[in-house]
Amino acid sequence: MDKTVADLQVGEKGIIEQVCLNDIPLKLLEMGCMPGKEVEMVQIAPFKDPLYIIVNGSHIAIRKEIASIIKIETNENLCNIVKSK
Amino acid sequence: MQHSKIKVALVGNPNTGKTSLFNQLTGLNQKVGNYPGITVDKKQGKCNLSENVTATIIDLPGTYSINPNTIDESIVLETLINKENIDYPDVVLVVAEVANLKRNLFLFSQIKDLNIPTVLAINMSDQMERKGISIDINLLEKELKTDVVLISARKGIGIEKVKKALLQPKYKAEVPLAAYANRMDADYFAKVATALKNHSLYKAWLLITQCNDLSILPKQEQIAIEKLREDENKLAQLQHKETVLRYAKINDILKKTYKVDYQKATTLRARLDKILTHRIFGYIIFAAILMLIFQSVFDFAQIPMEYIDTSFAALSNWVKSKMAEGMFTSLLTEGIIPGIGGILIFIPQIVILFLFVAILEETGYMSRVVFLMDKIMRRFGMSGKSVVPLISGTACAIPAIMAARNISGLKERLITILVTPFTTCSARIPVYAIIIALVIPNERYYGFSLQGLTLMLLYLIGFTSAIISAYILNKILKVTNKSYFVIEMPNYKLPSIKNLGITILEKTKAFVFGAGKIILAISIILWFLASNGPSSSFGKANAIVEKEIKINGINLSEVQKQQKIASYKLKHSYIGILGKTIEPAIKPLGYDWKIGVALISSFAAREVFVGTLATIYSVENEEDTSGIKQRMQAEINPETGKKRFDFPTGMSLLVFYVFAMQCVSTLAIVKRETNTWKWPLYQLFGMTSLAYLLAFITYQVLS
């Protein structure tokens, strides 16, 4: 299983995966949530959703469904695997 | 020297203090209008940049990117991309915040590429030291090729420097900040450049990716754009690349010019977040804040409201005593003065509610509420962002429904718009307040006022019905819903008194001149309907009553006789006839024809209910000098000999007002926001039938 932002525990950090730009919605990129940047989980809302993160200096909250498509930790081959699926 | 005028557009991310800067530059010299065709507020103000130059400052809606996600955000693009736009500025003033400079510069870099002279104001500079931030302004100016000014809008620091920079931007029309095109896809952009050679490359790119309405362009350009748009995947990829490249450039620049000592970075935000978004304390605090809001609306607003009520009754009597009797005096004392009183009486509550909503927004707490509530609201087909409309709905449904624009999901937004009118708006409060005062004893239990608790219960019923209807709508509505929920969690800050003051002033003004017009017009129409009637009965009132007295052989004093005539007149006026006609339909709810008249008139706006009763009773009994409450208290049901406003009738009325859709302005705004009459009509019939049914049950069970 690939690890995603949704899998982070409170206080835990990860790096958004380098490749596979298309997996992240443009709106998130514009808010500074982009590949190569560090993500920190600040708080998980009651009922485990949404998630409050700090990424690239931005404090933002996103829903779990989006968080679970943002893969973290670098692995350059992953994008191609996803695409061939 | 000649006096000249320039246009300045104010642009920035939300939460950067853009509004504070706007207020600093323009003071009270501002006005709110509308953009043609849509209901986005257009805030404009005047500012003297120097003795000879006046600037018109346009406060554009806050946005994170020039690529719009909502209607509000699209205004920014539309204003800045089209030179023919009446608001197309001579200079753009971009506001950034010192702690979020990186993300703020993203928007800046897009604006800069539009080739309009640009000034960058970095706000909250007074907090730099505390946050361990240092900026090399000279180098930053050179790198960004823009005037950069450090300001603190809240403390009024740097405002003069901003004015000076606007007057004479050092860097005028500029080459775009970075030529990304070649690094994105040289072949594609070569095609763009030839097909749209009359536009700069970046403008052409925005036309291709962002503009739905191309009608202002020549035909051949429209065709070229359609062709360049064909490969959607490619466009998306290019946009992604563009974003990454912009951030890469910004990072490079900031590395040279911007330093943060993270040791110094305050942990206050982290600590507050821990508590305010806590799974238990978070909700307790939120509930406590709501409770505080509702208690203050009922308790604090009470005193000024009674004062306004009795003052207008006294004014009416004073005018009457000073002026000769006649048509005009009657219009003034029974139509216009009570009508104006009926508008002004809302001001205390509106001020208190908007004050709280504005404080919650300004402090940054509202975002935490959105975060806490999102998952719960989603079960009912709404979004965490629906909390803002639902809370604002407690002031007025009109701005609340407009606030629903921030919700990016179509279905979530529609459901929020449809259920918001269930929340207890301030127009219902006068109705609630007067009926509660009449039927609920003024006692305290454990320090809580019983009347206050009843009001709280009504709010809860309103909120619960909003939630239940949302749940049902979520099940039956078939709307595809694809959206990305992203919300910024801004840093906490103390609200600025000036901003709060201006916000409240603006909203109150909008209410008084918007809804107020309807209320006043209806008051005058009602006065006319109540003081005129068919000549066969109304016109001969004196003769008929005197004849009746003679036949029955009763002895009446002159005052009693006059009262009898007045009462007869009202019964046979047009309004009396109208009320009588619907009496059979509303009798099962416990209402008589006078309440019926008030119900009919409040279909235009709820708050008219109290004013109508005031008009009816003052027409009926001109000698009475007491306020409306005393008059209603004294009203007797002739069939039972008991008070007209007894417990079952009072409760039935309260229930009716919780559910009924009685606001023309709201229906109009729903129509504008949803672009069809279908939804407002559903609201009107659905909510009003529900109100009738539940009021019927209430009355029958209680009586």
Side-chain angles (χ1 to χ4, degrees), chain B residues 326-377:
Chain B
M327 191 72 175
F328 180 68
T329 312
S330 160
L331 170 66
L332 200 62
T333 57
E334 285 153 23
I336 294 175
I337 295 177
I340 294 175
I343 301 162
L344 295 187
I345 202 156
F346 285 106
I347 290 177
Q349 278 161 341
I350 289 202
V351 167
I352 292 178
L353 271 167
F354 280 132
L355 177 70
F356 275 106
V357 171
I359 290 175
L360 296 189
E361 297 254 20
E362 276 246 324
T363 48
Y365 178 67
M366 207 61 115
S367 299
R368 274 68 188 183
V369 174
V370 171
F371 175 71
L372 275 179
M373 300 299 288
D374 185 59
K375 184 73 194 241
I376 302 171
M377 301 300 280

Side-chain angles (χ1 to χ4, degrees), chain B residues 303-521:
Chain B
I303 300 152
M305 282 176 73
E306 284 204 4
Y307 177 75
I308 293 171
D309 190 19
T310 49
S311 310
F312 272 83
L315 178 67
S316 209
N317 279 307
W318 181 80
V319 171
K320 204 182 285 180
S321 69
K322 293 283 170 202
M323 281 172 67
E325 241 179 83
M327 191 72 175
F328 180 68
T329 312
S330 160
L331 170 66
L332 200 62
T333 57
E334 285 153 23
I336 294 175
I337 295 177
I340 294 175
I343 301 162
L344 295 187
I345 202 156
F346 285 106
I347 290 177
Q349 278 161 341
I350 289 202
V351 167
I352 292 178
L353 271 167
F354 280 132
L355 177 70
F356 275 106
V357 171
I359 290 175
L360 296 189
E361 297 254 20
E362 276 246 324
T363 48
Y365 178 67
M366 207 61 115
S367 299
R368 274 68 188 183
V369 174
V370 171
F371 175 71
L372 275 179
M373 300 299 288
D374 185 59
K375 184 73 194 241
I376 302 171
M377 301 300 280
R378 238 186 300 165
R379 289 195 188 150
F380 301 98
M382 294 186 279
S383 140
K385 292 183 186 170
S386 306
V387 171
V388 182
L390 290 177
I391 292 179
S392 313
T394 60
C396 180
I398 295 160
I401 284 168
M402 284 166 63
R405 279 209 197 114
N406 290 330
I407 304 167
S408 43
L410 260 181
K411 188 175 178 182
E412 290 170 347
R413 177 161 171 247
L414 181 62
I415 292 179
T416 309
I417 289 175
L418 290 178
V419 305
T420 294
F422 275 118
T423 54
T424 304
C425 66
S426 54
R428 283 184 179 98
I429 300 174
V431 183
Y432 289 173
I434 201 147
I435 295 169
I436 287 175
L438 285 171
V439 303
I440 306 287
N442 186 11
E443 286 164 18
R444 277 183 187 273
Y445 283 91
Y446 303 104
F448 288 109
S449 124
L450 198 57
Q451 297 185 335
L453 285 176
T454 311
L455 185 73
M456 175 119 180
L457 184 72
L458 291 171
Y459 271 99
L460 278 180
I461 298 173
F463 190 71
T464 315
S465 39
I467 291 285
I468 293 172
S469 341
Y471 186 77
I472 297 167
L473 286 169
N474 190 28
K475 294 274 178 243
I476 54 177
L477 281 181
K478 296 273 174 285
V479 182
T480 43
N481 194 21
K482 191 169 185 279
S483 76
Y484 297 111
F485 172 94
V486 184
I487 180 171
E488 189 190 357
M489 307 291 263
N491 208 348
Y492 294 99
K493 52 176 185 245
L494 283 171
S496 113
I497 305 288
K498 189 169 179 176
N499 286 355
L500 291 180
I502 288 178
T503 306
I504 289 163
L505 195 72
E506 214 170 73
K507 305 244 170 173
T508 314
K509 243 164 77 183
F511 170 81
V512 170
F513 295 111
K517 261 189 273 178
I518 300 178
I519 300 172
L520 185 62

